[in-house]
Amino acid sequence: VEQFLVEKPEVLKGRTEHCIAWRQTGGCSPTGLLEPTADKSCKAVIVAGNSGFCQCVSSGSRGKSGFAPATAGESNCDHGPFTCAEQCQERSKAEAGLAQLTAEAAQLASEVSEAVDAQACSLLRGGELPDWCHPNLYRVLGIRCDFPAAEDGDELKRAYKRRSLQFHPDKPGGSAVAFQRIADAHHVLLDPEKRKAFDEGADFPRKVEQDGSEGETQKEEVEKKYFPENFDFQPFGDPQSDRREAKARQERQLEQRRQEALAREAHQSTRTDL
């Protein structure tokens, strides 16, 4: 789930009566993954080389998530220039029965809506995310993060039941995507090992090393940053390496002076005996 996405100021200022924004997608396909950093305002001219769709103002909920957008101007990278303000205005006329979408345009709009349905949380910018979109699984279920892992799991069971009933797809305001997200959160927090891994940040994306392997977990990164003395020497990036080397050098110098003092004492003792 993409979280805490903030709408760019220029995008916010460009909203119109019928249009919210241009949503950029990857792969030169309007059904590709969303690329929020490349979004544009409704009044911006969308030229060839950009793929995506116009997110329009909708009169009701759409898709399984309940947040899938009304779209227009669905485009791959090969298209003429247009603005989303114009495209969404045409979409609004079609919804009002004042114009008619071609069968091809209607089909493409349906495909795009389906593709972004699972990314619905990514489109909820400029406002607070609903709890089921939140990356914190405890918040998804509305349960305290230190709830006891009791054998019967009563507290977790009650929280799961409450949220499931609230977002059941068959109920008003329900959502299949939210319902699945709640089930996934319950599955993780019910298992002690999976809960421990989540608490330690195992679900955070890891850096990819030069050899293609996964980097350190979030827990390891935090521990190395704040408790470097607990880890072995690292030639690159160890913040305590110079300090430890200086301490080791000092200890070697002290040991060398001690050995020299013992040698002098032994030499003087030998001369006295003679």
Side-chain angles (χ1 to χ4, degrees), residues 56 111 147 161 174 210 265:
C56 305
E111 291 176 5
F147 76 87
K161 183 177 180 180
Q210 291 183 348
E265 183 178 345

Side-chain angles (χ1 to χ4, degrees), residues 112-177:
V112 170
S113 185
E114 265 184 47
V116 299
D117 198 21
Q119 304 178 67
C121 294
S122 301
L123 296 170
L124 298 174
R125 297 189 264 268
E128 186 177 354
L129 289 173
D131 284 340
W132 64 266
C133 270
H134 206 279
N136 186 335
L137 299 185
Y138 295 96
R139 185 164 172 178
V140 170
L141 293 177
I143 192 171
R144 57 195 176 103
C145 61
D146 60 346
F147 76 87
E151 288 295 328
D152 54 5
D154 275 349
E155 189 171 346
L156 178 62
K157 190 185 300 182
R158 287 195 301 270
Y160 174 52
K161 183 177 180 180
R162 183 175 62 252
R163 284 289 201 224
S164 296
L165 290 173
Q166 180 183 357
F167 289 101
H168 194 282
D170 293 340
K171 292 202 167 188
S175 161
V177 175

Side-chain angles (χ1 to χ4, degrees), residues 45 181 212-213 219 244 265:
V45 178
R181 173 80 174 147
S213 62
K219 178 187 177 184
R244 282 199 291 266
E265 183 178 345

Side-chain angles (χ1 to χ4, degrees), residues 245 247-257:
E245 179 59 30
K247 183 178 180 181
R249 185 166 56 249
Q250 185 179 26
E251 289 175 351
R252 288 196 299 270
Q253 291 172 346
L254 288 173
E255 179 62 17
Q256 184 178 357
R257 286 198 289 269

Side-chain angles (χ1 to χ4, degrees), residues 167-190:
F167 289 101
H168 194 282
D170 293 340
K171 292 202 167 188
S175 161
V177 175
F179 189 75
Q180 184 59 51
R181 173 80 174 147
I182 290 164
D184 292 342
H186 176 256
H187 178 71
V188 171
L189 298 183
L190 183 63

